[in-house]
Amino acid sequence: IKCVVKGLNQQSQISSWQAYLPNDEYVTIPNTGDTIIFQGELKKIKNAGNPNEFDQVSYYQAKGISHLIFAREWHIASRGEIKGWKYFKEEFQQHILSSLESIQNRDYQILIYAMLTGDKHELDSKLKRTFSQTGIIHILAVSGMHVGLLAAIPMWYLRRRKKKSGLRTMIVLIAVSIIWLYALLVGGSPSVIRSALMFTLFLFADHHRKQSQSLNLLCASGFFILLFQPDDLFSIGFQLSHLAVLGIVIGVPALSTWYLPSTKWMQFPFK
C-alpha cells in the first residue's frame, strides 16, 4: 500500500517508518496496491527511560523501522493494480476464500481462512478479542505444523519406496517446491521458514540415502536464516520457534526412556 505523506521535509533522513491507521469497521479496508492519504505526526521511536522497560527502539530497529505515524484520519485516494508476485499471492488468498463459500456460517469461513493463510484482517474484532482473551490466538497463526502437514505425504511415500528412481526424485522436487511456495504465500514467518528449511534438508538427505539428525537440521535452519537475516536473532518469533523445536528434539527422547506407549501408532511421536 502506497502512502502519501504531506509536509514531510526530512524524508531524506528517515530510513523507514510504519503507520498505524485508526480501526473503523465502517471504513473500507484498502487492498494491496491502493494509494491512501492520511494525516498524522511523524515521530522518532524513543524509549521512555523507565527501569527494565520494554525496549521498543531495539524491537522496531530489528524490523528496520525508525519512525511511527499514528494517523488521525485517512481515506483511499485511488485503487491500484497488483502485478507480479503480489498479484499471485493475492489471487491465492482469494481462491482459498472463495473455495470456502460452501460453508454457510460466515464466521466459520473467515476462521478457517485465517488458520490456512495466517491473514486475520477478515476476522471480526470481537472474535479476535475473544481468541486473545482465552489465550488461543496462536492457532490462527500459520506455523511449522502447516508445513509439516504438507511434507507428511511425500515423507510417507519416500519411506515406502526405498529404491532410488526418477519418480522418487520428481516427488522430492515437487514436495520442496510446494513447501516453499506455501511458505512464501503465507508471509514467511520465522517458524514457517524454519520448518520449510528443516523439511527441505530432510527430504534431500533422505533421497540421497543420508542419515539426518533433527538437531543438525535445526541448527542448519537457524544458520541459513541468520545468514540472510541477522536481525532475526533478536526476533521473539525466531527464538521461540527454535527453542520449542529444541525442547522437542531433546525432551522426547529423554521422555521415551522411561515411558513408551504400548500401541505402535502411539509410539510414532516418540520415534
Side-chain angles (χ1 to χ4, degrees), residues 104-176:
Q104 298 297 327
N105 192 304
R106 176 65 176 174
D107 290 336
Y108 292 164
Q109 288 183 24
I110 301 303
L111 185 60
I112 297 173
Y113 170 76
M115 294 175 67
L116 289 174
T117 64
D119 185 3
K120 297 184 283 292
H121 293 94
E122 298 285 342
L123 275 177
D124 181 68
S125 58
K126 184 179 179 180
L127 186 60
K128 282 196 290 187
R129 187 165 57 251
T130 302
F131 273 88
S132 179
Q133 291 173 348
T134 54
I136 56 174
I137 190 68
H138 61 277
I139 70 172
L140 300 179
V142 175
S143 63
M145 180 190 70
H146 295 70
V147 180
L149 292 174
L150 284 177
I153 296 177
M155 286 173 62
W156 172 82
Y157 175 82
L158 293 175
R159 289 292 177 90
R160 290 178 62 89
R161 295 181 65 92
K162 296 292 185 181
K163 187 177 180 181
K164 196 170 183 179
S165 63
L167 179 61
R168 183 184 169 93
T169 303
M170 185 178 66
I171 292 294
V172 172
L173 294 176
I174 292 175
V176 170

Side-chain angles (χ1 to χ4, degrees), residues 4-260:
V4 180
V5 183
K6 298 179 180 179
L8 188 59
N9 299 323
Q10 299 178 339
Q11 191 170 7
S12 60
Q13 302 176 9
I14 298 172
S15 56
S16 60
W17 47 272
Q18 180 170 304
Y20 288 91
L21 306 179
N23 187 14
D24 191 345
E25 59 181 347
Y26 298 104
V27 177
T28 303
I29 299 176
N31 298 318
T32 305
D34 292 350
T35 300
I36 64 173
I37 297 178
F38 59 84
Q39 294 182 352
E41 183 179 355
L42 187 68
K43 295 183 178 181
K44 184 176 178 60
I45 301 173
K46 296 180 180 179
N47 291 327
N50 298 319
N52 300 318
E53 69 171 0
F54 173 68
D55 189 1
Q56 65 172 350
V57 173
S58 299
Y59 172 78
Y60 281 104
Q61 190 175 19
K63 298 177 178 291
I65 299 171
S66 61
H67 291 70
L68 295 177
I69 297 179
F70 293 90
R72 293 184 292 270
E73 57 183 42
W74 63 278
H75 66 274
I76 300 175
S78 62
R79 293 291 185 180
E81 182 180 356
I82 311 171
K83 298 180 180 179
W85 173 255
K86 291 182 179 180
Y87 172 80
F88 185 72
K89 181 179 179 180
E90 194 80 11
E91 285 295 308
F92 167 77
Q93 293 178 339
Q94 290 299 321
H95 176 73
I96 294 294
L97 193 58
S98 61
S99 64
L100 298 173
E101 290 181 352
S102 58
I103 302 176
Q104 298 297 327
N105 192 304
R106 176 65 176 174
D107 290 336
Y108 292 164
Q109 288 183 24
I110 301 303
L111 185 60
I112 297 173
Y113 170 76
M115 294 175 67
L116 289 174
T117 64
D119 185 3
K120 297 184 283 292
H121 293 94
E122 298 285 342
L123 275 177
D124 181 68
S125 58
K126 184 179 179 180
L127 186 60
K128 282 196 290 187
R129 187 165 57 251
T130 302
F131 273 88
S132 179
Q133 291 173 348
T134 54
I136 56 174
I137 190 68
H138 61 277
I139 70 172
L140 300 179
V142 175
S143 63
M145 180 190 70
H146 295 70
V147 180
L149 292 174
L150 284 177
I153 296 177
M155 286 173 62
W156 172 82
Y157 175 82
L158 293 175
R159 289 292 177 90
R160 290 178 62 89
R161 295 181 65 92
K162 296 292 185 181
K163 187 177 180 181
K164 196 170 183 179
S165 63
L167 179 61
R168 183 184 169 93
T169 303
M170 185 178 66
I171 292 294
V172 172
L173 294 176
I174 292 175
V176 170
S177 301
I178 292 175
I179 287 172
W180 280 103
L181 181 63
Y182 179 75
L184 296 175
L185 285 174
V186 298
S189 65
S191 61
V192 172
I193 297 298
R194 185 266 310 156
S195 184
L197 277 169
M198 290 184 66
F199 280 114
T200 298
L201 294 172
F202 173 83
L203 289 171
F204 279 119
D206 189 71
H207 177 63
H208 292 286
R209 303 278 191 263
K210 302 294 183 180
Q211 187 176 5
S212 58
Q213 298 292 333
S214 299
L215 188 59
N216 292 340
L217 295 177
L218 179 64
C219 293
S221 69
F223 170 78
F224 284 116
I225 291 174
L226 294 178
L227 184 64
F228 294 98
Q229 294 288 343
D231 289 337
D232 279 355
L233 180 62
F234 306 100
S235 168
I236 191 65
F238 174 86
Q239 295 171 6
L240 289 179
S241 175
H242 282 76
L243 286 175
V245 176
L246 180 63
I248 295 173
V249 170
I250 297 176
V252 171
L255 180 64
S256 62
T257 57
W258 63 272
Y259 172 75
L260 192 65

